[in-house]
Amino acid sequence: MYFTDRGIEELEKRRGEEEVSFAWLAEQLRTFVDLNPEFETPVERLATWIARLDDEDDDE
């Protein structure tokens, strides 16, 4: 188990039954980066990865 899995498991346990929109998620990510600018690159990569999940042409 990676250390980051603990946070993912906590998220699933505490909020796993909730439904949210991608607009809400995007706003939370913006707020997080505003408060923690050192995480801008990883958040950007995560957001881009999620946005492109259905892209068949993108092998990354």
Side-chain angles (χ1 to χ4, degrees), residues 27-50:
E27 186 59 32
Q28 302 316 305
L29 292 173
R30 283 186 199 99
T31 300
F32 179 81
V33 170
D34 287 346
L35 296 171
N36 304 279
E38 67 274 18
F39 291 107
E40 180 178 7
T41 299
V43 169
E44 178 67 21
R45 288 180 182 169
L46 175 61
T48 301
W49 181 78
I50 291 171

